Amino acid sequence: MSDAARARRWADCLSGNGISFQCPKEDGFRGAIELLKLPGCEIGRANATSAIGSRTAEAIARDRDQMLFLFGSLGGARKVASQAGRDIVLDDGAITLLDHTRPHRTLAPEGGTAVAVVISMVDVAASGFDLAGRLCRTPTDPGAARLLVRYALGLIADPLAGPDGEALATQHIAELAGLAFGAQDRRGERVRAAAAARTRLILTTVRRRALEPDLDAASVGQDFGLSERTVQTLLADCGTSVGREVMEVRLRHAHDLLHGIEPSTATVAAIAFECGFNAVSTFYRAYKARFGSSPGEDRGRQAGSVASRSPVRQSLGATRRNAPRSVMPD
């Protein structure tokens, strides 16, 4: 595919989302987009060598509610967000807030990576925050802004499952936006909102790193600048712990491997070690307590079933959690 054709493909894809796309530098154009759609909220991460996006008049005319648009730079050259004659220059890590129901542009002529979040003003208000008068500004709370970006990116990698989980994710985004941009706090939600989002991020990190052999609360805390005790307390308030989350991910991974590989591909011991268990006996006990059958029994049943069907091959690597998102590679 030529560089020009690749840029046109981007333009065609984004037009379906109400964005007019231009590529100032088609030569050598490359890019990728990840998009997560939730009820009342959309989150995207894009990387491109050169890009300018504008909200189309047709899309604005279809809006039924006032929508907010969070745009941030994650790396590369400076980016610019423009609305109502005002340009906001965004260095690496900076974000701003625009009115998505009015014309606006985002410019990354020299390329880089950006994050975008679209959320309804109704959802923000329902979470107890008033963002009126906070548009076209940079955050008043940089810490909350960083937490917002990290949380949004974490959802793309590891979405909350089910309608209740999706609604909770939208609520967290709304609350964090209110915190980041200094919205009037109508319900005293500031401490609770930040703590809830931070705990969610900690859980995502634990589950993502669960197959690492020495993962503990102290190493997780280092990712967030928190003490081991704080991590333990936050998870205890949710009725869980690092050890419990790690064990569940490892056992689920082992279960998937035992039910999805050829019998000759690996021994039970190899699967145990692959899933982070240092002793096969510990793996056997934990597996049987969790699933009601031993790894050997499940492997034996799998061996009997593959004889009547084509074998399913699966590598012994960390499985990726379900992620209901769309991806547009270059």
Side-chain angles (χ1 to χ4, degrees), residues 25 172 174 190 326:
K25 299 179 181 179
H172 285 165
R190 292 185 180 277
S326 60

Side-chain angles (χ1 to χ4, degrees), residues 23 44 46 71 104 127 133 141 171 173 185 192 202 207 228 230 285 297 323:
C23 180
F71 179 73
H104 61 77
S127 296
D141 186 337
Q171 177 185 327
I173 290 289
D185 185 7
R192 191 200 64 77
I202 290 172
R207 292 164 182 166
E228 177 181 5
T230 299
R285 287 195 299 271
E297 291 169 342

Side-chain angles (χ1 to χ4, degrees), residues 14-156:
L14 291 174
S15 66
N17 287 314
I19 301 295
S20 174
F21 171 79
Q22 295 176 300
C23 180
K25 299 179 181 179
E26 288 187 350
D27 291 345
F29 177 81
R30 294 291 185 276
I33 296 176
E34 293 178 286
L35 180 65
L36 174 67
K37 293 189 176 184
L38 302 170
C41 180
E42 293 185 8
I43 305 168
R45 175 169 59 184
N47 177 274
T49 51
S50 179
I52 296 176
S54 304
R55 189 90 199 282
T56 64
E58 293 82 2
I60 292 173
R62 291 195 298 267
D63 290 333
R64 289 177 293 180
D65 299 320
Q66 184 178 12
M67 306 297 288
L68 299 174
F69 180 68
L70 288 144
F71 179 73
S73 175
L74 299 179
R78 282 183 171 182
K79 300 165 187 65
V80 178
S82 178
Q83 186 167 57
R86 183 176 180 182
D87 293 338
I88 301 130
V89 178
L90 302 173
D91 292 314
D92 189 11
I95 66 172
T96 191
L97 182 66
L98 305 177
D99 185 347
H100 203 48
T101 52
R102 296 174 59 196
H104 61 77
R105 288 202 310 165
T106 53
L107 300 90
E110 301 301 324
T113 304
V115 60
V117 178
V118 177
I119 189 166
S120 168
M121 182 74 93
V122 173
D123 287 316
V124 175
S127 296
F129 291 94
D130 184 1
L131 280 169
R134 300 291 173 178
L135 303 177
C136 297
R137 298 185 182 183
T138 53
T140 58
D141 186 337
R146 289 191 295 270
L147 185 59
L148 168 60
V149 170
R150 192 168 183 179
Y151 183 77
L153 296 177
L155 287 173
I156 292 177

